[in-house]
Amino acid sequence: MYNLKIFTNNKRESRFDLLLRLSFCCLMFFVTITSLFDAGLVFGQNYKSWAFDNSLSSKKDEITAAMKQGTITAANRSEWNAYFDKFYFARWTIEGNLGFIQQNYMRDLLRDLRDATGNARTFFLTKSLETLTKMTNDKSLNPATRYNAILAVGQLTTKDATATEPPVFYDEALKQLIAVHNNKLTPEYIRAGALIGIVRHAQAGTANDDFKKKQAPAIFIQIITSNRPVADQDADEREKLDWLRMRAFDGLAALKNFDQSVLTVVKDTLRSELESFDMRCRAARLMGELDLQSAVDKVKPADFAQISNLLIALAKKYCDSEIEKIDATINKALPAAGQNGQINPAGIIGRRPEMSGIGRDGMSGPIMSGTDGAGATGDTVVEPPFAQLPPIAQKEIITIVQRIKSNTLYYIINGMRGSKISGATSTGVIAVLKAEDPNYEKLSKATKALAELIIILDKGKTETTTGTGTTPRTTTTPRTTTRGQFKVNFTIIRESLQKCSDDLTEIITGKKQEPPPKA
């Protein structure tokens, strides 16, 4: 299996590019492999390569230095063409070199493009696009070569990124990306590579208005709506299509365009029970990335009310799913039961070799006593604080806290109240609801319930950091690591999730949730 990871041509990658890189590495397997078999391609097939002249490698240092100086003349143009055609790019097509495309050849391309100046850069940019497009469309070449070629097209720039400005991507390359993606006869794995480039252009925000307002939204919405899940769908096929749809949601978030068509996509995704939880959270995140107020007059108030209720329901579903995961963790990896078959998180103590029993089968442990069915004394089982739990339990708690406080939870919260990292124009749904609207109060209460959950999880640790001065400062950070003093355990996490779920149920139903009767 070839390593088909993404490379970027600047050292300052945005959060989006980092997430894109990680998600791509995890899921592109499904896009590539499935598509290759769908196209009737199998490994071991004999693919062709372009004419290659290794003797031209001797020209590398000379031409690289000349590109940095920025001049190309009519006299050396033919020599440069031969070098790039028969060596520089031809080596991408040789089957024995496939492992070097990512590690060496694409890196060389992006570095040489960055270093080139003047008319030499113009020549190299045009030459690269022309050759990579030809490579992408050449059906005789190995799929790995064709796929990497379209990835490279998506990274061609006319201006490099700076510390304060994104790169300016090549408009002519964007035209090719759109043409490749929109061609239904193009293999799916190549269309996926083109989509990555299109999203990158959208995220940079430097493309023309026609792309940002018409072409890109149409592409992204079409991907989301035409690939919706159906009942009894193959799991691998579903995962592959959802990967594409997540990229489309990322593209819409980058564009920040908002109208009725985008709202309909979000609403339909949030309320479909066939959609994966991750996909519904992606739709929630989109509402937190857009400038909803700019188009509030173009959208029916009832639509915002519906999305408000769908976000609250999604938040409750999230809490309930995490409660189930915690119970499953305790039952499977750290098993013990308390009274009436209820989960007893403290039971993990006696189930580990590093600590003695907690009172199962009528035996009381040294740290706590069991209840009926878990110990002989009848005392209430109390889970000890984090510091007194065995290492394996501490590790499980850290994992759970990290998972709960991952992007998923913040996607939902940001959909409600807006994303703080997206700029002043990111509003969230609550900003477009009128104060007298009952949904405004419901959404306000929901964001408060989720905020309280985060506050409890933030008590997981306090971290001492040192600023630019000499006086240390202590801050509480939402990023959870093994450093610092944890102040939560299984019981606290589960009870906090349950309270949040109950609060959200009360918001949805309008009925106060009574606590379960004591045994």
Side-chain angles (χ1 to χ4, degrees), residues 106-151:
M106 192 179 294
R107 182 182 59 193
D108 290 347
L109 170 68
L110 300 178
R111 183 198 61 228
D112 292 341
L113 178 61
R114 182 187 65 240
D115 294 342
T117 60
N119 66 350
R121 176 166 184 150
T122 302
F123 167 85
F124 186 53
L125 192 60
T126 304
K127 186 69 177 180
S128 297
L129 177 59
E130 173 189 308
T131 309
L132 292 168
T133 300
K134 178 182 176 182
M135 197 180 293
T136 298
N137 295 327
D138 190 340
K139 297 179 182 179
S140 69
L141 297 179
N142 189 287
T145 296
R146 300 176 65 190
Y147 177 77
N148 280 294
I150 195 64
L151 281 186

Side-chain angles (χ1 to χ4, degrees), residues 12 79 146 165 322-323 369 449 519:
R12 297 180 178 271
E79 183 181 68
R146 300 176 65 190
E165 296 180 353
E322 284 298 330
I323 292 172
S369 298

Side-chain angles (χ1 to χ4, degrees), residues 224-244:
I224 295 169
T225 57
S226 65
N227 296 305
R228 289 199 181 280
V230 295
D232 301 323
Q233 192 169 19
D234 177 75
D236 287 351
E237 177 69 11
R238 178 72 265 142
E239 191 164 7
K240 177 184 70 175
L241 295 176
D242 276 354
W243 184 90
L244 296 171

Side-chain angles (χ1 to χ4, degrees), residues 6 8 12-24 154 169 195-205 220 243-255 282 285 289 407 411 421-422:
I6 301 173
T8 56
R12 297 180 178 271
E13 288 184 297
S14 68
R15 177 178 298 186
F16 168 79
D17 271 329
L18 291 173
L19 292 174
L20 190 61
R21 184 191 293 268
L22 291 173
S23 63
F24 172 81
F169 287 100
L195 176 63
I196 292 172
I198 293 171
V199 171
R200 185 176 280 113
H201 276 254
Q203 191 250 348
F220 298 146
W243 184 90
L244 296 171
R245 297 172 74 221
M246 285 184 182
R247 304 291 74 73
F249 270 116
D250 290 338
L252 288 175
L255 293 173
R282 243 355 128 111
R285 172 209 178 198
E289 297 287 336
N407 288 333
Y411 285 172
I421 64 172
S422 294

